[in-house]
Amino acid sequence: MKSVLKNGSPVLATLVLLSAWEAAVRALRVPEYVLPGPSRVLESLVVHAGPIASHTAATLEATMLGFSLSVVLGLTLGLLSGLSESFQRAIYPMLVAFNTIPKVAIVPVLVIWFGIGKVPAILTASLISFFPVFVNVSTALVTTEPELRDMLLSLGATRAQILIKVGLPRSMPYFFGSLKIASTLAFVGAIISETVASNEGVGYLMIAASSRFDVPLLFAGLLVISAISVILYAVFVLLERRLAGWAFRPPG
Amino acid sequence: MIELRGVSFGYPVRRNDGKDHQLVLDDVSMRIDAGSFVSVVGPSGCGKTTLLKLIAGLLRPLKGEIVYGGSNGPDSRPLIGMAFQNAVLLPWRTVLENVIFPLEVVKRWRSELRRRRHEFVERALALLRSVGLEEYAHRMPWELSGGMQQRVSLCRALIHEPDVLLLDEPFGALDMLTREELWSVLQDLWIERRCTVVMVTHDLREAVFLSDTIYVLGGRPATVIGCVTVSYPRPRPLDVCYRDDFVRATRDLRDLLERSSPKVVT
């Protein structure tokens, strides 16, 4: 019973929230164009399943491409700044400054450069999500124990060897931690761009729905986005356990 | 043999009048015979670790020189093994993989790793056996106690058959019983191999028990203020620590240290 409660608690909590929502909407007679109940959202999801699926696929594609770009970018910058203190000093302020820019403000620029469509979505996704990867990887490399570095140097190791033998394996838990954040951020980036400048994707679908006051469809879009983020997150947790499992010790 | 001739070292500091060095070691001369066990004692923060890094070739002296084996030049630098107060084992590797690690790095062994892997594993297991940890070979480091991790760290420092073993307060973080147990472990390993050992410590009993020669560092910047030879026969049993002359030797070292460093009011 206890283990059922423990494993089923996320499902249970979700169900409780949805029921409360449904009950509140019905009891208070909230109009559908303000807040539809979950049952209505689900209905919309089923009715519009075809378009929702194709738009979701478009968003997912932009997200994954953007995310891959951000991993490459974040990993490269992180490795370089972990290796060279002067490089890190040089680029850190710039990257922090860039990271604070609301990415929605960048979309118009990307549209001017690349036109409306997929490319701005991919780029926004990668620009919004590379920063955590960069910060985590560079932090992991910089915090390598000085004793380990001394030992390796005294054995005649090169910088590249130190990176491969110690730096990279050591940074894996940090890297996967950042992937969990970056993957959901990439989603946000792609959808932001789609709401502003695209004719496909969940973001576009939601803007279109909102202009038609189709609030149930709007919520169906939100539901799909949340579901996919959770799945993505779970995928990276799984990868993390596989590839950096050593960092997780059994309790006790 | 390793000889330090008038070695001075300082870390760069920024002063108003431009860049300068804060001297840590001043005119340190030492003679470390091949195959001998040498300890360096001194108050904490006096530059003992810096001295080890100089001997390891990780730092260059500002003045003076370090001569290895009588000759000079970078090629003559001996093969070095190191162990520290923290075991710093690699947490993603098993105990055995940790011990083998230096063989994957040192040039002399790296090229033969694939061909002689089996032999290397046997060698690592033999080392682990000699420190009583063979059955832990396939465990992860965090499954071991601090004393056991330190044993693994010693094995790792010896697996590539270094000419010189540099130990930086290797037992500093251990409780007294474990520490004394590891003194004997270290002594046995050393008697078997007879590599040159330079150990930095602030435990005077440890220094007297293990060493042939003890250099005392003192003052600021630190310099050699004394050199003591210990000539108990080997292997030394732990009982030796309770002999009158052992106690006296320890007290003499203590007096020497106390005279050299100005009293700090606490």
Side-chain angles (χ1 to χ4, degrees), chain B residues 185-222:
Chain B
V185 169
L186 175 60
Q187 180 178 240
D188 292 345
L189 286 171
W190 174 73
I191 287 173
E192 206 181 293
R193 288 153 199 274
R194 286 284 170 180
C195 57
T196 310
V197 180
V198 183
M199 179 177 73
V200 151
T201 179
H202 52 220
D203 184 337
L204 302 178
R205 294 172 66 241
E206 181 170 294
V208 177
F209 178 78
L210 283 167
S211 316
D212 299 317
T213 311
I214 303 166
Y215 281 97
V216 186
L217 289 185
R220 227 165 243 275

Side-chain angles (χ1 to χ4, degrees), chain A residues 147 150 155 161 165 169 250, chain B residues 53 86 92 104 110 142 160:
Chain A
E147 290 101 329
D150 282 352
L155 293 172
Q161 268 184 308
K165 288 282 178 193
Chain B
K53 286 189 183 177
N86 302 318
W92 56 90
E104 298 173 16
R110 200 173 55 210
W142 54 265
H160 53 296

Side-chain angles (χ1 to χ4, degrees), chain A residues 145-158 161 164-171 245-250 252, chain B residues 53 56 58 77-82 84-86 88-93 101-102 104-107 110 113 140 142 156 160:
Chain A
E145 292 86 346
E147 290 101 329
L148 272 180
R149 206 177 310 230
D150 282 352
M151 185 191 80
L152 275 151
L153 287 172
S154 76
L155 293 172
T158 59
Q161 268 184 308
I164 291 167
K165 288 282 178 193
V166 174
L168 281 182
R170 196 179 171 286
S171 64
W246 55 267
F248 299 92
R249 298 169 193 180
Chain B
K53 286 189 183 177
L58 298 172
R77 209 157 67 81
L79 192 54
I80 281 167
M82 284 182 115
F84 311 88
Q85 181 170 351
N86 302 318
V88 284
L89 302 176
L90 305 175
W92 56 90
R93 287 170 165 246
F101 182 66
E104 298 173 16
V105 178
V106 175
K107 235 183 218 144
R110 200 173 55 210
L113 187 65
M140 297 309 276
W142 54 265
R156 181 177 64 181
H160 53 296

Side-chain angles (χ1 to χ4, degrees), chain A:
Chain A
M1 184 61 202
K2 218 171 186 178
S3 75
V4 170
L5 257 183
K6 195 177 162 194
N7 294 324
S9 59
V11 179
L12 199 68
T14 314
L15 284 179
V16 167
L17 179 73
L18 290 179
S19 321
W21 175 4
E22 184 77 44
V25 166
R26 286 186 187 213
L28 301 171
R29 294 176 197 283
V30 181
E32 189 183 291
Y33 58 84
V34 175
L35 181 67
S39 59
R40 188 65 192 85
V41 173
L42 210 63
E43 189 191 327
S44 176
L45 192 66
V46 174
V47 171
H48 300 289
I52 287 178
S54 71
H55 284 295
T56 306
T59 302
L60 207 55
E61 190 190 341
T63 304
M64 291 325 286
L65 285 173
F67 174 65
S68 314
L69 268 180
S70 85
V71 170
V72 173
L73 187 66
L75 206 55
T76 312
L77 289 175
L79 288 180
L80 285 175
S81 72
L83 282 175
S84 154
E85 205 190 323
S86 44
F87 180 80
Q88 174 165 29
R89 233 195 333 261
I91 66 161
Y92 223 110
M94 205 159 58
L95 290 181
V96 171
F98 179 77
N99 194 44
T100 51
I101 297 176
K103 295 303 169 292
V104 69
I106 292 189
V107 179
V109 182
L110 294 176
V111 169
I112 291 173
W113 289 348
F114 302 103
I116 282 185
K118 200 150 259 169
V119 181
I122 296 170
L123 291 179
T124 314
S126 74
L127 289 178
I128 205 172
S129 62
F130 83 94
F131 194 70
V133 180
F134 157 73
V135 170
N136 273 26
V137 170
S138 72
T139 304
L141 292 178
V142 168
T143 55
T144 300
E145 292 86 346
E147 290 101 329
L148 272 180
R149 206 177 310 230
D150 282 352
M151 185 191 80
L152 275 151
L153 287 172
S154 76
L155 293 172
T158 59
R159 267 153 96 98
Q161 268 184 308
I162 296 179
L163 181 70
I164 291 167
K165 288 282 178 193
V166 174
L168 281 182
R170 196 179 171 286
S171 64
M172 279 304 112
Y174 295 78
F175 175 63
F176 282 107
S178 77
L179 289 192
K180 286 188 274 187
I181 304 171
S183 63
T184 44
L185 278 180
F187 229 103
V188 173
I191 287 164
I192 284 177
S193 177
E194 283 166 0
T195 55
V196 179
S198 186
N199 40 29
E200 57 177 350
V202 180
Y204 166 76
L205 180 77
M206 280 162 59
I207 286 292
S210 113
S211 66
R212 282 188 283 117
F213 279 97
D214 190 347
V215 183
L217 181 57
L218 197 60
F219 271 85
L222 288 177
L223 197 69
V224 169
I225 292 168
S226 318
I228 293 178
S229 322
V230 170
I231 293 170
L232 263 186
Y233 189 91
V235 167
F236 286 109
V237 169
L238 217 70
L239 266 179
E240 182 181 41
R241 293 277 159 158
R242 265 287 159 82
L243 296 170
W246 55 267
F248 299 92
R249 298 169 193 180

